[in-house]
Amino acid sequence: MTSVESGTRHLGEFTFECGESIDDLQVAYETYGDFEPEGEGSNAVLICHALTGSQNVASEGVAGTSGQARAWWNDIVGPGKAIDTTKYYVVCANVPGSCYGTSGPPAENPETGEPWGTDFPPVTIGDWTRCQRRLLDELGVGRLHAVVGGSAGGMNVLDWAVQYPDDVARIVPVAAAARLDAQCLALDAVARRAITSDDDWQGGDYYGGTNPTDGLALARQIGHVMYLSKTSMEERFGRRAAGRDAVRSFPADRAAGYFPYREVESYLDYQAEKFVDRFDPNSYLYLTRAMDDYDLSEGYESDADALAAFEGETLVMSFTGDWHFTVAQSESLAEACRASDVPVAHHVVESDHGHDAFLVEPEKVGPPLRDFLADGLAGRAIHDTVEDDDGTEEADFAPVHNSLFGG
Amino acid sequence: MTSVESGTRHLGEFTFECGESIDDLQVAYETYGDFEPEGEGSNAVLICHALTGSQNVASEGVAGTSGQARAWWNDIVGPGKAIDTTKYYVVCANVPGSCYGTSGPPAENPETGEPWGTDFPPVTIGDWTRCQRRLLDELGVGRLHAVVGGSAGGMNVLDWAVQYPDDVARIVPVAAAARLDAQCLALDAVARRAITSDDDWQGGDYYGGTNPTDGLALARQIGHVMYLSKTSMEERFGRRAAGRDAVRSFPADRAAGYFPYREVESYLDYQAEKFVDRFDPNSYLYLTRAMDDYDLSEGYESDADALAAFEGETLVMSFTGDWHFTVAQSESLAEACRASDVPVAHHVVESDHGHDAFLVEPEKVGPPLRDFLADGLAGRAIHDTVEDDDGTEEADFAPVHNSLFGG
C-alpha cells in the first residue's frame, strides 16, 4: 500500500484566460505515494484527466459514482503498476469548470451562496494548466518528473510543455492531438445543442430544479459513439436485439414497438443514465468548449514553434482504431517535436477499441509508459513510427492508418 | 424537353409488413419521358429516393422547398443526362411514411380528418417496394429496365431484386449496403431520441401545435455529420470562425460568447434550419427505423441466398470517403452477387465527399450509370473491384479503403 491523500485546496484569486477572475479557486485533488524532491527534479508525476474524468485516478472517490468519476486508470496507476505509486508521487487534480469538487458551474458562488451556473467564467485548457501549477506550488512540488494524460488530458499535457517548459522532464500525451478537427468540433457542438435546447436547461439555471438530463444523455451518447470504433461496435453489438428485460429509457411512440430495441441502443441508454447521475450539464458545456478551443499553435507560428522551448522528452501514444484523436494527428504532433528537436517517440498501439483504448487496454498502454517514466526514450517497450519505418513489424501502421481520413 | 407528370394515385387498401392496413394508400409520384413497353422489357427506370428525399428527382416540386425535396438528382436525370429522359421513362415515388404527398404520419387519416401522427402503421423498406410495384401497375408498367437508388434508396433497390426478381433487368444500388452496422444504428437511434425527447414532440401529436424543431434539427445535424467525410469537413471548414454576420440559432449561455461560433457550426445550423422547414419529425422517426430495420438476408440463409432468384445484372457503386455506407459493405454486397452468379460489377468512386458523394459528384456517378443502363456490365465507364485487382490504376482502392474500419 501507498498513501493516498484526497483534499481540496483554496488557491485564492484566480484570473482566467478570458480575463475574468474569481476570488477563491478551490481545487479538489488526490496524491498517491510519497514526494521525493531529489536528483535533477523530483519523483512527481502529474496526471491530467480526460473531459469527464476526476481526480480519483486510482481511488474509489465519492460513493455511488461511476465511470471516470472513480478509479478510471486503476489498471495503470498503483503500487507495482505502470505508474508505480511506490516509486512516483502521483498528483491528479479536478480541472476548473468540472464538477468533482473543483470550482465550476455547479459549485457554490461565495458571493451569492448559490451555484455559479453559467455565471462561472469561461474556462480554457490553459486555465487547467495554470490551476495545476498553482496547486503543485501549494503541495511543494517544483519540477515534475512527468506529466501524463489522455484525450483532452493529453492536450493539457501539451499545454504544460508550452506554458512551463522548464518544469517538466517528460511528457506523455496519450490519444491526444494538437487540436480537434472539424468533424469532432461539429459533433461536440451538436452535443452542446442537445443540452441547451433541453427545456430543463433553463439557460443554465436549473440548479434546485430539474436537471436537463435528456439533453445531457443525448450529448453523452454522441460522445460515446466518438469514443468507440466502427469495428468495436460491430463486434460488440452488431444488430442484435437487446434482451427481453431491457427497457427503453427514452420516450418512444407506438410504432417503435414493432422494431427491436437493439443491444447497441440499450448499452448507450444505460451508459447515458449512469452518466447523467454523475456529471453536471453546464460542466459538459464548459469542458467541451475548452477542448474544442485548444490549439497547440495558438500564439505561435506553428506546433513546432510552440514546443520549441521544451527541453524534455516526449512519448506520443496513439491507437489505430481511434477516430476522435487519430493516429495521423499524433504523428503530426511527433513531427512537430522532431522539427523542434524535442526528443520524441510516437508509439502506435494496434487496437480496435477506438478512443477508449487508452482506458481499456492497460496491457498495451502500461509497458511503454512504465519504461518511458523509468528510462525515457531508451525504454525498451517503446516503439517509434520513424524507426519502425525501417522494416520492423510495426512498419505498416503509419501508411495504412494515417491514410484513414487523409488530410 | 421531355414530358414531366406529377401526380397522386389512390392505391386502395394496403397492408403493411407489420400486418396493419390502411383503407387507401395515396402515393405521390413523378414520371419523366415517355413509356415504351417494347423489346424484352420496357424503357422504364424506377428511381428510389433516399431517406429524406422526394419524388421530385429532377423537378422543382413544391415552391419553397429545398434540399432533397426538389430536383435532388437534377444533374443525373434529364434530357441527355446519365439517366436520359429522352430515352427512358423515369418513375419516382415518395415512399410511405414520408411527408411529400404519400401517406404517412403528417397526412390526413380519412377516418378522423386529422393527421395520422404516430397512429400511422410502422413502415419497412419492403412496404416501400410493394407500394412502388402497385403504383407501377397503375401506370401500366410491368417489367422495369432498371431500378436505381442511393443510400436507403439503394436498400430499396436491393429489395426489388428480392421481392420482384423477374420484374427488373438491371439494378444499381448506389452508396448502399445489405444492412447498417452498429455505429450507424447507434447514431440513428440517438437522432430519434433527440426528436422524442423534445417536449414539443408530445408523443407525436404535435400537429396543429408547435413542431419539435429543436429535436429534428439535432437529428438532422447528427445525420449530416454522417453524410460528410472527416476529410471533406476538415478541408471545407477546418476550425475557422464563422463570419461576423453569422447568428447562433440555438440557445447558448453567456460563457459561449467567449469562444468562436465556427463555420462548421454555422453550416450545420443553417442546414438544420432549412431541413426542419421541409421535413416532418414523425416521418424522420418512421423512415430511419425502416432503414435501420432493413436486412437483405432477412428470411434467407444469407445475402447471396436472398439474391439468388435475381437473373438481371447489378452495378454496385460506392465511394471511398463514405463511412455511413462503406466501400467494404458494397464489396460484401458484390461478393454476395458473385456467390449467387448474379452478374455484377462493383464500381468504386474515389471521392472525399463522404456519403453525399452520390448526390454531389454527378460527373463521377453519371458515366458508369449511363453506360450500365445502355450496355449493362459491358458498359465502358464501369470498373469492377475484381478486374481492377489485376493491376489497373484502381487496384489500390479495395485494400486501402476496405481496411478503413476493418471488420
Side-chain angles (χ1 to χ4, degrees):
Chain A
M1 274 300 293
T2 50
S3 59
V4 181
E5 182 191 329
S6 293
T8 304
R9 296 277 171 135
H10 291 259
L11 300 182
E13 187 178 2
F14 188 89
T15 303
F16 292 84
E17 193 176 334
C18 64
E20 297 177 34
S21 300
I22 63 174
D23 288 340
D24 181 25
L25 179 67
Q26 288 186 40
V27 183
Y29 68 97
E30 288 199 335
T31 69
Y32 301 77
D34 301 311
F35 181 51
E36 293 166 17
E38 67 188 14
E40 66 199 50
S42 74
N43 71 332
V45 173
L46 175 69
I47 295 183
C48 302
H49 67 69
L51 196 68
T52 68
S54 69
Q55 66 276 27
N56 306 309
V57 58
S59 72
E60 294 304 314
V62 180
T65 55
S66 64
Q68 287 184 64
R70 52 171 280 278
W72 53 269
W73 233 10
N74 208 21
D75 294 320
I76 294 289
V77 177
K81 296 179 184 172
I83 301 179
D84 189 342
T85 51
T86 65
K87 291 183 184 168
Y88 302 108
Y89 177 61
V90 170
V91 181
C92 185
N94 189 217
V95 301
S98 183
C99 52
Y100 293 116
T102 293
S103 300
E108 184 184 299
N109 177 349
E111 282 185 28
T112 64
E114 303 285 324
W116 283 99
T118 51
D119 286 335
F120 197 77
V123 167
T124 65
I125 286 184
D127 294 325
W128 301 357
T129 307
R130 289 187 305 111
C131 167
Q132 289 157 340
R133 179 65 273 173
R134 292 263 296 265
L135 172 68
L136 291 168
D137 289 343
E138 290 277 323
L139 297 176
V141 176
R143 195 157 193 259
L144 290 158
H145 180 66
V147 183
V148 181
S151 193
M155 291 170 153
N156 192 175
V157 169
L158 293 172
D159 193 52
W160 263 90
V162 175
Q163 285 204 56
Y164 305 107
D166 299 329
D167 290 358
V168 196
R170 293 169 187 171
I171 62 168
V172 190
V174 182
R179 66 195 62 78
L180 286 188
D181 68 18
Q183 187 187 51
C184 295
L185 292 174
L187 288 169
D188 284 348
V190 177
R192 284 191 294 273
R193 281 154 177 67
I195 294 170
T196 61
S197 65
D198 185 328
D199 287 343
D200 290 332
W201 181 59
Q202 297 284 340
D205 281 335
Y206 50 79
Y207 303 104
T210 305
N211 268 29
T213 50
D214 281 347
L216 183 60
L218 286 168
R220 178 59 169 187
Q221 293 186 331
I222 292 167
H224 210 122
V225 173
M226 294 171 83
Y227 306 151
L228 304 176
S229 75
K230 207 172 184 69
T231 303
S232 67
M233 293 188 80
E234 186 63 11
E235 288 177 356
R236 181 161 178 183
F237 308 111
R239 296 172 51 83
R240 281 188 303 279
R244 286 182 177 213
D245 52 344
V247 178
R248 292 173 207 251
S249 57
F250 264 82
D253 54 295
R254 183 192 70 90
Y258 176 66
F259 300 99
Y261 178 54
R262 295 187 193 278
E263 258 188 33
V264 68
E265 295 178 81
S266 171
Y267 174 81
L268 291 175
D269 286 345
Y270 174 71
Q271 294 294 333
E273 273 190 56
K274 284 204 302 183
F275 184 70
V276 300
D277 283 343
R278 78 168 177 89
F279 213 77
D280 177 68
N282 282 335
S283 285
Y284 201 81
L285 301 178
Y286 273 65
L287 299 189
T288 57
R289 286 195 295 239
M291 176 171 68
D292 291 2
D293 187 60
Y294 182 73
D295 186 338
L296 170 59
S297 68
E298 196 175 306
Y300 294 88
E301 294 281 314
S302 63
D303 293 343
D305 187 36
L307 292 167
F310 179 57
E311 298 195 341
E313 293 187 321
T314 302
L315 173 63
V316 176
M317 295 185 72
S318 68
F319 302 87
T320 54
D322 188 350
W323 61 283
H324 188 13
F325 290 85
T326 68
V327 171
Q329 287 174 314
S330 277
E331 182 60 19
S332 167
L333 193 52
E335 280 166 10
C337 290
R338 290 176 203 128
S340 282
D341 294 323
V342 173
V344 64
H346 176 199
H347 185 101
V348 181
V349 174
E350 178 91 50
S351 169
D352 283 339
H353 281 89
H355 186 58
D356 266 357
F358 86 94
L359 293 169
V360 301
E361 298 246 49
E363 71 290 351
K364 294 178 178 172
V365 172
L369 194 47
R370 176 195 301 266
D371 288 3
F372 182 69
L373 292 185
D375 306 316
L377 291 171
R380 285 185 56 189
I382 299 166
H383 294 275
D384 183 23
T385 46
V386 169
E387 69 184 30
D388 291 345
D389 272 355
D390 293 339
T392 70
E393 61 186 273
E394 273 76 21
D396 60 332
F397 281 149
V400 173
H401 293 283
N402 282 347
S403 73
L404 278 193
F405 291 109
Chain B
M1 275 299 294
T2 51
S3 59
V4 181
E5 183 191 329
S6 293
T8 304
R9 296 278 171 136
H10 292 258
L11 298 183
E13 188 178 1
F14 188 89
T15 303
F16 292 84
E17 193 177 333
C18 64
E20 297 176 35
S21 299
I22 63 173
D23 289 340
D24 181 26
L25 179 67
Q26 289 187 40
V27 183
Y29 68 97
E30 288 199 336
T31 69
Y32 302 77
D34 301 311
F35 182 50
E36 293 166 17
E38 67 189 11
E40 65 199 49
S42 75
N43 71 333
V45 174
L46 176 69
I47 295 182
C48 302
H49 67 71
L51 195 68
T52 68
S54 70
Q55 66 276 24
N56 306 310
V57 58
S59 72
E60 293 305 314
V62 181
T65 55
S66 64
Q68 288 183 64
R70 52 171 280 277
W72 53 270
W73 233 10
N74 208 21
D75 293 319
I76 294 288
V77 177
K81 298 181 182 170
I83 302 181
D84 188 343
T85 52
T86 65
K87 291 183 184 168
Y88 303 109
Y89 177 62
V90 169
V91 181
C92 186
N94 189 218
V95 301
S98 183
C99 51
Y100 292 116
T102 293
S103 300
E108 183 184 299
N109 176 350
E111 282 185 27
T112 64
E114 303 285 325
W116 283 98
T118 52
D119 287 335
F120 198 77
V123 166
T124 65
I125 286 184
D127 293 326
W128 299 358
T129 308
R130 289 187 305 111
C131 167
Q132 289 156 340
R133 179 64 273 174
R134 292 262 297 266
L135 171 69
L136 291 168
D137 289 343
E138 290 277 322
L139 298 175
V141 176
R143 194 156 192 260
L144 290 157
H145 180 67
V147 183
V148 181
S151 194
M155 291 170 153
N156 192 175
V157 169
L158 293 172
D159 193 52
W160 263 91
V162 175
Q163 285 204 55
Y164 305 108
D166 299 330
D167 289 359
V168 195
R170 293 170 187 170
I171 62 169
V172 190
V174 182
R179 64 194 64 76
L180 286 188
D181 67 19
Q183 188 187 50
C184 296
L185 291 174
L187 288 169
D188 284 349
V190 177
R192 284 191 295 273
R193 281 155 177 67
I195 295 169
T196 62
S197 65
D198 185 327
D199 286 344
D200 290 331
W201 181 59
Q202 297 285 341
D205 281 335
Y206 51 79
Y207 302 103
T210 305
N211 269 27
T213 49
D214 281 346
L216 183 61
L218 287 169
R220 179 57 169 187
Q221 293 187 329
I222 292 168
H224 210 121
V225 174
M226 295 171 83
Y227 306 150
L228 304 175
S229 75
K230 206 171 185 69
T231 303
S232 67
M233 293 187 80
E234 187 63 11
E235 288 176 358
R236 183 161 177 182
F237 308 110
R239 296 172 52 83
R240 280 189 304 279
R244 286 182 178 212
D245 52 343
V247 178
R248 293 172 206 249
S249 58
F250 265 82
D253 54 296
R254 183 192 68 91
Y258 177 66
F259 301 98
Y261 178 54
R262 296 186 192 278
E263 259 188 31
V264 67
E265 296 178 79
S266 171
Y267 174 80
L268 290 175
D269 286 346
Y270 175 70
Q271 294 295 332
E273 273 189 55
K274 284 203 303 182
F275 184 71
V276 301
D277 283 343
R278 77 168 178 90
F279 213 77
D280 178 68
N282 283 333
S283 284
Y284 201 81
L285 300 178
Y286 273 64
L287 298 190
T288 57
R289 284 194 296 239
M291 176 170 68
D292 291 2
D293 188 59
Y294 181 74
D295 186 338
L296 171 59
S297 68
E298 195 175 306
Y300 295 88
E301 296 280 312
S302 64
D303 293 344
D305 188 37
L307 293 166
F310 179 57
E311 299 195 341
E313 292 187 322
T314 301
L315 173 62
V316 176
M317 295 186 73
S318 68
F319 302 86
T320 55
D322 188 349
W323 61 283
H324 188 13
F325 290 84
T326 67
V327 172
Q329 286 174 315
S330 277
E331 181 60 19
S332 168
L333 193 53
E335 282 167 10
C337 290
R338 291 175 201 129
S340 281
D341 294 322
V342 173
V344 64
H346 176 199
H347 184 101
V348 181
V349 173
E350 178 91 50
S351 169
D352 283 339
H353 280 90
H355 187 57
D356 266 356
F358 85 94
L359 294 168
V360 300
E361 298 246 49
E363 72 289 354
K364 293 179 179 173
V365 172
L369 193 49
R370 174 196 301 267
D371 288 3
F372 181 68
L373 292 185
D375 306 316
L377 292 171
R380 284 185 58 188
I382 299 166
H383 294 275
D384 184 22
T385 47
V386 169
E387 69 183 28
D388 290 343
D389 273 353
D390 293 340
T392 70
E393 60 185 270
E394 274 75 25
D396 61 331
F397 282 148
V400 173
H401 294 284
N402 282 346
S403 74
L404 276 193
F405 292 109

